Amino acid sequence: MTDSSMIGSAPRRIDGRRKVTGTAMYASDHHLQNMAYGYGVFSTVASGKITALELDAARKSPGVLEIFHHGNFPPLYHNSALPMSLAQILKAAKSDESRLPFEDETVYYAGQFVALVVADTFEHARAAAYKIKVSYSKNTAVANLDQGMKAGKLQDGSPNHNRGDAGAAFDSAAHSIDATYTTPVETHNPMEMHATVANWEDGRLIVYEASQGVVAHRNSLAKIFGLIPEKVEVRAPFIGSGFGSKLWIWPHSVAACGAAKVLNRPVQLVVPRQQMFTTTGHRPQTRQRLRLATDDKGKLVSVRHESINTTSFTDPFKENCGTSTKSLYSCANVSVTHKIIEVNRGTPTSMRAPGAAPGLFALESAMDEMADKIGMDPLAFRKLNVSERDESQNLPWSSNHLQECIDQAAERFGWSKRDPKPGSMKDGNEIIGYGMAACNWDAYRTPAEAQVSLRADGTAYAICGVQDIGTGTYTIVAQVVSSITGIALDKIEVELGNSSFPPAPVSGGSWATASVLPAIAEATRQAIEQLKAFSTAPKGVFAGTKADQVSFEQGQLKSGEKTFAITDVLKAQKQASAFGEAKTGMNDTSKHSFRSFGVHFVEVRWDPGISRLRVARVVSAIDVGKVINHKTSLNQVEGAIVMGVGMALFEATEFDERDGMPVNNNYAEYVVPVHADQPEIDVILLDYPDYELNEFGARGIGEIGITGLAAAVANAVSHATGKRIRDLPITLDKLMELPPTMSA
Amino acid sequence: MRALDYVRAGSVEQAVDAHSKSQTAFFLAGGTTLLDLVKLDVMPADQVIDVNHLSLKQIEVQKDGSVRIGALVTNTALAYHDYIVAHYPVLSQALLSGATTQLRNKATTAGNVMQRVRCNYFRDGYSPCNKREPGSGCAAIDGHNRSVHAVLGTSDQCIATHPSDMCVAMAAIGARVEVQGAKGKRSIDFLDFHLLPGSTPWKEHALQDDELITHVVLDAPLANSKSGYLKLRDRASYQFALASSAVILVMDGDTVRDARIAMGGVGTRPWRALEAERALKGATLTSQNMEKAAAIALQGAKPYRHNAYKIALGQQAIVRNLSTLTA
């Protein structure tokens, strides 16, 4: 059916040239005629009420057009608060932070929009914004999870899962561990700032947005401004990454669209880097208690995973930390619970592998602690317990090659050279530690629509409302069209990221590839069907032949011994193109459980003489079904591993515990890995097609690479130093041997 | 960004004259500190005096071996200058351990000396900060003070570290800062240039209001010396030091004839450890002696809530630097 040399090959990005030559237009690159520029004023308290806004100086400031705040911002509607299902995702309208900007005088978190200055230039807007003085009546801020637990009440954070009797099995087990792990707030920090360019034209709202989901963003703006979706168009042809922070609409976008409406001119609003830490989502802080127990042979008999995450006072965000715990390992007695607690921070959102990234740090650290406890090799312990089916749903896996992942990566890494004694492997000043952990992520497929045209000039044209968030979606769409039609990649034009195109899901959850490619393929085949119809119609190349006598082979229409190129078929009918469109659905989740699997092996080096810890080497084997583009797939896993190194060693968005104010909300003090921190990375992609999910057998690859990485690092650190660090990030001060008086 | 007057100085005298007329005028060289802080609305600049066109871009090796570095010599030019690489490896290494290539290409020698602290409570524009708003208090003392806050030279008014790596090397080498003001030229000992916060943390240096740094003159290199800079931080690059050391050693067989030690990341100014140097002179470099000197260097250090580890880390920076130089 498809040209296997194209699917699974490694072509370069078809949009690469535009990106490196600066002709790819990102949201804030759009400067429309008569456009005005916004700059926010952001709360400098984490909890309280605005009592006064001194605007006179700002109003007199050069170029100022209007200053919006809770006293004058136009009243708008709330976005839908109904639960979103994957089946309905093309109609989804969703905000993680449901409160509208300037809705009232209440401040729920530091860095919340309290005013918006709009001026003729960006510089004028910023200068005026700095002149606004805001007075607050301050409340005691709930600054972190601990304070939240004291000040408030835990709320349900389901989905939960329970099977067997984990408590009783734990109490009677031969061996057990009970450990609590914490992860801090982490912030996405995509390179491209959140930005909106809002333009109203004859009652239609046209928006350039840094968005991972133009259709959902369109639907949300329509709800909020009380319009039908057809009156709104959201465009995001290029996105400078998002990591989840650009999935759903945030206050700045509403603020820009509202301001543009009132002023009746286009408005551009870019969120400053400092507020990218406050008002556009983050991964919430978590505390997770893991209780594991085994029999005397090392088989798990009880698994309990109790997770708490922070959320805002405006919305209940649930970080599903136990998502993998339910099913990764075989165990009859399992209990997974989630609870949430309110704090004075902005609303959290999905960040690369939400739930699984912090959840597998806890689970896979605990698995290592359990293996230590019973004196088993951590690899052997995992292999003994890997589950042959999804016991949480009592379904077989659609495809699971975790055992082979472990074997292949262990061999490549050299796990057999590991001396299990902590601190026993040395190289000069450095102590070497080896650690491993499984990775795991959901495999979803959502509805999607697409259109493909085969054109008379020999080119093809595909459009779809999905986005390329930097992952290579443009390229794999072209690969699919090419694989079916034989048209060369450089003759295939792809347009994505426009809500007026056939609708497609948000680019998140690692589902874009699995969901969109079937729609592209089907639309391509429909275009070929139309081509066949042209060929057999009067004056067609096969005029008089029955349609079922015409086949499409190697890029040409064939009937009997005669073949004609696509262009010849179209020319004979004076047709511009043959057109196909398709709407494809979800996978059947009643017969199989769909997940992706993998494993990381990590070598760390700890130099105790200078307290330097580094991740030196990572070998990973990943089972994500069929790999569509080897180059962009490796790029995703390698990038996720680097992000995992950041999560393991550096990243934490800190809030002052006295007042809840962010204290490292900038690129200098929020430490992410730089080039010099990058380990040697060796990724094996197993490449077994999962045809239960779709015709390509492709699942998705954006997120799985970060899962388990922090645990593999923590496990390697434990092997090197003998210290078990249960609180991320693993900074050097946590590993130093300090006299008691010097411990912070 | 606030509206600024821009003055391009054609001579040092013109620059000094313009600067003396306003409390809110600032010299603009590389701009890597100033422009950031103006954009953040932290430095209340109403006027910038662009000194980039002054002829202060030379590195002159003088007859006695000392080096006179023009104020506008970039960090990159200084780090790769042949004489600096050959005779002051500690300085070249310190420069290259700081910032990024792009920043070093812009940043200047005098600008580096004058760079402002990285304390977020200073830079956020609203927290109590005695540097930004004298008398408002110091949010860092009981706040989040893990990475860019000091354990040496702190006061109850300010605990921010001086962020420079270059200055740590210069403190070890020994230098004079040549300045020019309305009343003429003078030179200031490098170790007297940066001030402890004490009760006046907003006074960060010994410059008078109208004075401009024109040169930094390094002492001649110690004969037969080895030197090196070791910077410890969370990530491998592009982060300010949690602790660093600049060490210059002159050995006589196994015995230390002369030693210079300065530290970064732990002090409120580039921190010269004179007592530790004295302890090393005449001693052999056994681990015990190195550790003893390092302990002396951190004597009197005062830990704050999140930075107690720096007392140990600072000592490690010294010990490893010493042992690497003599390996």
Side-chain angles (χ1 to χ4, degrees), chain B residues 14-260:
Chain B
Q14 206 185 342
V16 165
D17 182 55
H19 197 265
S20 65
K21 286 177 181 156
S22 165
Q23 288 293 316
T24 50
F26 294 89
F27 295 124
L28 173 67
T32 59
T33 292
L34 177 68
L35 296 183
D36 283 2
L37 290 175
V38 172
K39 287 176 190 170
L40 291 170
D41 207 29
V42 168
M43 282 176 83
D46 289 320
Q47 185 181 73
V48 293
I49 301 156
D50 184 353
V51 296
N52 282 296
H53 302 275
L54 305 182
S55 52
L56 298 171
K57 293 175 183 163
Q58 289 77 40
I59 300 172
E60 306 159 65
V61 180
Q62 312 198 97
K63 281 185 187 148
D64 63 353
S66 67
V67 186
R68 191 160 184 251
I69 304 160
L72 294 171
V73 171
T74 67
N75 287 181
T76 299
L78 188 57
Y80 292 114
H81 189 270
D82 288 344
Y83 189 79
I84 300 295
V85 172
H87 298 280
Y88 304 97
V90 64
L91 177 58
S92 180
Q93 290 168 21
L95 284 159
L96 294 177
S97 76
T100 61
T101 304
Q102 293 92 328
L103 285 165
R104 292 192 295 268
N105 287 345
K106 287 297 287 179
T108 64
T109 303
N112 193 314
V113 170
M114 293 295 289
Q115 70 180 291
R116 307 297 303 276
V117 301
R118 301 299 308 192
C119 175
N120 198 58
Y121 299 105
F122 167 73
R123 295 172 70 90
D124 69 18
Y126 50 76
S127 293
C129 173
N130 290 320
K131 268 193 195 297
R132 181 168 30 78
E133 207 180 324
S136 62
C138 172
I141 286 179
D142 296 316
H144 189 78
N145 48 32
R146 175 183 176 270
S147 52
V148 290
H149 298 93
V151 293
L152 291 165
T154 59
S155 76
D156 61 359
Q157 304 276 307
C158 180
I159 63 169
T161 51
H162 191 273
S164 169
D165 295 297
M166 181 196 81
C167 289
V168 178
M170 287 179 172
I173 292 164
R176 298 194 70 79
V177 182
E178 294 187 348
V179 307
Q180 186 172 337
K183 290 180 199 145
K185 299 178 183 178
R186 66 183 180 120
S187 92
I188 303 163
D189 191 307
F190 195 82
L191 296 183
D192 296 331
F193 187 84
H194 296 101
L195 306 178
L196 291 173
S199 56
T200 54
W202 56 92
K203 287 174 69 174
E204 296 177 344
H205 49 74
L207 285 179
Q208 300 296 317
D209 277 348
D210 59 3
E211 285 177 330
L212 174 71
I213 297 173
T214 58
H215 301 85
V216 175
V217 184
L218 301 181
D219 290 356
L222 295 178
N224 303 314
S225 64
K226 296 177 180 177
S227 71
Y229 189 73
L230 177 62
K231 180 173 180 178
L232 305 180
R233 44 188 160 180
D234 292 307
R235 66 181 167 199
S237 179
Y238 198 34
Q239 191 185 2
F240 295 93
L242 300 174
S244 70
S245 73
V247 172
I248 306 169
L249 269 183
V250 182
M251 299 298 292
D252 187 355
D254 289 340
T255 309
V256 177
R257 185 189 293 169
D258 201 353
R260 302 279 180 80

Side-chain angles (χ1 to χ4, degrees), chain A residues 395-450:
Chain A
L395 288 173
W397 301 116
S398 61
S399 173
N400 178 349
H401 300 275
L402 179 53
Q403 298 277 16
E404 188 179 337
C405 285
I406 294 174
D407 291 342
Q408 279 206 31
E411 172 71 24
R412 186 84 65 91
F413 181 79
W415 183 258
S416 59
K417 297 190 198 92
R418 180 180 187 261
D419 179 341
K421 189 164 174 280
S424 60
M425 295 166 64
K426 289 184 178 152
D427 180 13
N429 288 322
E430 292 181 322
I431 303 172
I432 297 168
Y434 283 4
M436 65 162 299
C439 41
N440 193 231
W441 182 247
D442 312 69
Y444 301 103
R445 175 177 167 189
T446 78
E449 300 182 28

Side-chain angles (χ1 to χ4, degrees), chain A residues 357-374:
Chain A
L360 278 171
F361 164 66
L363 176 66
E364 285 296 283
S365 293
M367 285 295 284
D368 241 53
E369 295 205 56
M370 192 71 241
D372 269 358
K373 184 79 180 269
I374 57 177

Side-chain angles (χ1 to χ4, degrees), chain A residues 321-383:
Chain A
C321 289
T323 179
S324 297
T325 310
K326 293 183 295 192
S327 59
L328 183 56
Y329 297 110
S330 174
C331 184
N333 306 294
V334 176
S335 163
V336 173
T337 65
H338 299 92
K339 292 202 158 49
I340 59 174
I341 191 74
E342 291 169 339
V343 299
N344 285 112
R345 291 177 187 154
T347 307
T349 194
S350 298
M351 179 164 156
R352 204 173 200 171
L360 278 171
F361 164 66
L363 176 66
E364 285 296 283
S365 293
M367 285 295 284
D368 241 53
E369 295 205 56
M370 192 71 241
D372 269 358
K373 184 79 180 269
I374 57 177
M376 263 183 96
D377 178 87
L379 182 154
F381 178 58
R382 285 180 176 83
K383 287 198 70 166

